[in-house]
């Protein structure tokens, strides 16, 4: 298994991350020694915040029932007594002009219902993650995106919008994706106003980390090149 702590350190150093990257793993069995989540959270992305703060834990589908949208993107059917919550929240979003109902069919969804979802800070993971979530400022996300392009694992999807949680199935299906986040996610995770997301397939993490050093170095050299051109050619 890769040295995930070393990988986290490398990403943190180059991208100047303010939050720890979050590893997400879908498992038939809970890894030995992993705490099972107890309590209640209002949204599936709330678990991202807890993991970024340093917690390692596993969830089961019922832990996600409070989030109809997140349950949808993670292919988690709501129980019969709560099945009306998804159409209700969608109707609210449509009535506010936030969403068009025909957009729902195009939202990426996990291919099957997960049995256990494990959330961990990247450096603390004891299993290979399926997806790793990064929160970074736009200029740093640019470097991560360029590294993924160089590694050949950047998806052709545009910058994703709402819901943010669709980034996980999108990354699994297409490669690294970026997301502007959504208002619900920003409330539940408390990320900064200038922060954006990247979702990286775990299988591509080492490739991207290797290319990131080259990309970061190239950007430093190009920044100096462009500053000199601006000084030489700008008349304003």
């Amino acid at each position: 298994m890769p040295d995930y702590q070393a990988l986290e350190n490398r990403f943190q150093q180059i991208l100047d991350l303010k939050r720890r990257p979050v590893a997400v793993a879908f498992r038939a069995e809970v890894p030995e020694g992993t705490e099972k989540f107890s309590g209640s959270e209002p949204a599936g992305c709330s678990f991202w915040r807890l993991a970024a703060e340093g917690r390692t834990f596993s969830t089961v589908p019922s832990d996600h029932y409070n989030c109809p949208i997140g349950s949808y993107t993670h292919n988690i059917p709501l129980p019969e007594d709560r099945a009306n919550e998804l159409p209700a929240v969608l109707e609210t979003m449509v009535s506010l002009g936030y969403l068009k109902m025909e957009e729902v069919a195009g939202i990426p969804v996990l291919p099957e219902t997960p049995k256990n979802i494990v959330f961990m800070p990247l450096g603390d993971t004891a299993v290979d993650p399926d997806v790793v979530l990064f929160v970074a400022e736009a200029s740093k996300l640019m470097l991560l995106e360029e590294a993924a392009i160089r590694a050949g694992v950047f998806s052709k999807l545009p910058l994703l919008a709402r819901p943010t949680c669709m980034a996980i199935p999108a990354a699994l299906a297409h490669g690294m994706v970026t997301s502007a986040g959504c208002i619900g996610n920003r409330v539940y995770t408390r990320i900064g106003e200038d922060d954006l997301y990247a979702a990286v397939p775990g299988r591509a993490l080492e490739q991207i980390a290797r290319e990131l050093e080259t990309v970061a170095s190239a950007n430093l050299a190009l920044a100096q090149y462009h500053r000199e051109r601006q000084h030489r050619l700008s008349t304003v």
Side-chain angles (χ1 to χ4, degrees):
M1 193 167 75
D3 184 341
Y4 286 110
Q5 184 59 67
L7 284 171
E8 178 177 330
N9 292 344
R10 191 183 309 175
F11 284 116
Q12 196 285 326
Q13 181 180 20
I14 297 175
L15 301 177
D16 191 26
L17 300 176
K18 304 301 187 295
R19 290 191 175 213
R20 298 186 69 179
V22 172
V24 182
F26 302 102
R27 291 292 183 271
E29 302 294 335
V30 176
E32 186 176 353
T34 301
E35 167 196 357
K36 292 188 177 181
F37 176 78
S38 62
S40 175
E41 286 293 334
C45 55
S46 298
F47 299 125
W48 306 2
R49 172 177 51 80
L50 297 178
E53 291 170 353
R55 288 183 57 182
T56 294
F57 57 93
S58 67
T59 64
V60 294
S62 59
D63 293 320
H64 297 255
Y65 287 168
N66 284 340
C67 185
I69 300 296
S71 293
Y72 177 79
T73 63
H74 283 53
N75 200 353
I76 296 173
L78 294 175
E80 185 176 349
D81 62 336
R82 303 188 67 171
N84 67 325
E85 293 182 21
L86 178 60
V89 72
L90 289 175
E91 286 174 11
T92 297
M93 291 177 173
V94 169
S95 68
L96 291 170
Y98 181 75
L99 182 74
K100 294 181 180 179
M101 195 61 77
E102 57 266 29
E103 294 177 53
V104 176
I107 294 174
V109 175
L110 289 179
E112 58 185 33
T113 302
K115 187 174 182 181
N116 299 284
I117 309 176
V118 188
F119 298 90
M120 311 147 282
L122 177 59
D124 299 343
T125 182
V127 297
D128 291 322
D130 292 297
V131 174
V132 178
L133 299 165
F134 291 86
V135 175
E137 295 176 352
S139 63
K140 303 302 182 181
L141 197 70
M142 175 192 73
L143 299 178
L144 194 60
E145 181 177 283
E146 290 177 354
I149 292 171
R150 190 174 161 81
V153 293
F154 189 73
S155 81
K156 295 181 180 179
L157 295 177
L159 179 70
L160 302 180
R162 71 278 191 274
T164 313
C165 51
M166 72 177 173
I168 290 179
L172 283 172
H174 301 285
M176 176 182 154
V177 297
T178 54
S179 171
C182 64
I183 188 59
N185 175 276
R186 290 178 177 277
V187 169
Y188 298 129
T189 63
R190 305 169 196 159
I191 65 170
E193 291 187 1
D194 296 330
D195 288 330
L196 301 172
Y197 280 100
V200 176
R203 64 183 183 275
L205 200 64
E206 287 185 289
Q207 286 176 275
I208 291 176
R210 285 193 295 268
E211 300 296 354
L212 186 59
E213 294 186 5
T214 299
V215 164
S217 177
N219 271 269
L220 282 174
L222 286 168
Q224 182 60 30
Y225 165 76
H226 289 301
R227 280 193 290 268
E228 291 174 356
R229 290 189 78 253
Q230 181 176 15
H231 177 73
R232 187 172 70 253
L233 300 174
S234 178
T235 60
V236 179

